[in-house]
Amino acid sequence: MKKVISQPIQSKRLPEIIETHIRDLILNGEIIVGEKLPPEKDLSAQFGVSLATTREALKGLEAFGLIEKRKGRQGGIFVSQTKIDLLKIPLYSFLKTRSCSPAHLTEIRIILEPAVVRIATSHISRRAIKDLEANIKSCEAEIAEIDQSITEEEFFSIEKKNIEFHRLLAEATTNPVLALTIDYVMDLLFNAKQRLLTPDIGLTIGTIKDHWNLLNYIKKGDADGAEKEMVLHLTRIEQYLKKEKQTHKVQSKRRTR
């Protein structure tokens, strides 16, 4: 049975200390995904604490998505695949207190995404290219089904897929830090767009066109072209968001008169 601590500890905040100790072992890779932890009684003995204290610590790890309890003959306490959405919650809370704006998001995108597409172009897989193609074609299929003006539901359904295109690009870099960074930036961006944007089929069609241009450069292995196209794409989005923000300000002023 794996020993997770060398000697008992003493503190008034025992559950928190135990939770932190096991969490660090998991995040540092010393206890891997899928590995079975010792039973609660054995953990209590290793830490030199009561069963209630151990259970409280395990509840914290389970709530964070780091462990899962399975029932049955093959059951027990297992290290689970870390859930990215749970990891992003503290970051969202922090940024909310700092009044993160669409301008901040665009600024970080202009810094990061040209580098993302350059890295992705250099060693993108066939599978990743197919996923990017499927994403764009899915957006085009939704556009083709729209008879007249685009509704809010249709607009944001396609917007979500357009944003997913950028997540797929980040994943294609095979850099987990870049992928996670772009992932939460895209989540924040989508929330901002829901607040700011009104349905505009022209914006949607333009974004799809930009994405095809990006993919064509990637397929050719033209990292310089892909990088320049990404800058143009982000600049167009930045200008559009600025215009929408100004429109919202004018409308707000009229409503307050």
Side-chain angles (χ1 to χ4, degrees):
M1 190 69 67
K2 179 180 281 291
K3 195 172 180 66
V4 297
I5 191 168
S6 56
Q7 55 184 315
I9 56 177
Q10 294 179 351
S11 172
K12 292 179 181 179
R13 298 163 60 202
L14 286 173
E16 183 182 337
I17 291 174
I18 294 168
E19 179 185 339
T20 300
H21 182 84
I22 297 176
R23 183 192 67 210
D24 289 346
L25 289 175
I26 294 171
L27 295 179
N28 291 336
E30 294 178 54
I31 304 177
I32 62 173
V33 172
E35 187 169 348
K36 186 176 182 179
L37 293 179
E40 290 176 349
K41 287 184 180 180
D42 290 353
L43 283 172
S44 298
Q46 287 188 33
F47 282 102
V49 298
S50 69
L51 192 59
T53 298
T54 299
R55 283 174 176 166
E56 189 176 343
L58 292 175
K59 280 182 182 178
L61 293 167
E62 192 171 15
F64 200 64
L66 290 174
I67 65 167
E68 59 179 331
K69 293 181 179 179
R70 302 176 192 168
K71 296 180 180 180
R73 295 180 63 184
Q74 301 299 319
I77 307 166
F78 293 85
V79 177
S80 59
Q81 182 70 44
T82 304
K83 296 174 182 175
I84 295 301
D85 287 343
L86 290 173
L87 291 176
K88 290 187 287 187
I89 290 171
L91 179 63
Y92 291 157
S93 299
F94 172 80
L95 290 176
K96 192 173 181 180
T97 64
R98 297 300 189 277
S99 301
C100 179
S101 70
H104 294 138
L105 298 174
T106 302
E107 188 173 47
I108 196 67
R109 290 185 73 193
I110 288 174
I111 292 170
L112 288 177
E113 290 204 70
V116 165
V117 76
R118 173 173 282 280
I119 295 169
T121 301
S122 66
H123 56 266
I124 195 165
S125 66
R126 290 182 181 177
R127 176 71 264 174
I129 288 175
K130 285 183 179 179
D131 288 342
L132 289 167
E133 283 182 340
N135 172 275
I136 303 172
K137 288 177 180 178
S138 177
C139 293
E140 287 184 325
E142 284 200 43
I143 285 286
E145 292 179 2
I146 297 170
D147 294 328
Q148 299 175 353
S149 60
I150 190 168
T151 66
E152 187 171 298
E153 183 180 355
E154 290 167 337
F155 177 73
F156 285 111
S157 172
I158 300 172
E159 269 302 305
K160 189 175 283 189
K161 290 178 181 178
N162 282 332
I163 283 174
E164 182 65 21
F165 177 89
H166 292 266
R167 284 196 176 97
L168 291 170
L169 269 182
E171 289 172 7
T173 67
T174 67
N175 182 322
V177 179
L178 267 179
L180 176 59
T181 302
I182 295 300
D183 186 45
Y184 69 72
V185 168
M186 290 300 109
D187 276 352
L188 291 166
L189 180 66
F190 185 70
N191 289 335
K193 283 184 172 183
Q194 285 182 306
R195 294 194 311 271
L196 281 177
L197 298 183
T198 52
D200 184 341
I201 197 166
L203 173 66
T204 302
I205 292 171
T207 299
I208 292 171
K209 182 181 177 182
D210 287 352
H211 286 177
W212 273 126
N213 290 340
L214 277 165
L215 186 56
N216 288 333
Y217 281 118
I218 291 168
K219 283 180 175 179
K220 291 187 291 187
D222 185 350
D224 289 336
E227 184 177 5
K228 289 176 183 176
E229 182 60 36
M230 179 63 81
V231 172
L232 287 172
H233 171 60
L234 295 176
T235 301
R236 282 192 280 268
I237 297 297
E238 179 185 28
Q239 290 170 348
Y240 191 91
L241 288 174
K242 282 181 178 178
K243 187 178 77 172
E244 286 291 294
K245 185 179 180 181
Q246 189 60 39
T247 301
H248 274 257
K249 281 184 178 179
V250 172
Q251 290 174 344
S252 295
K253 285 181 180 179
R254 286 175 179 170
R255 283 195 293 267
T256 57
R257 287 176 183 173

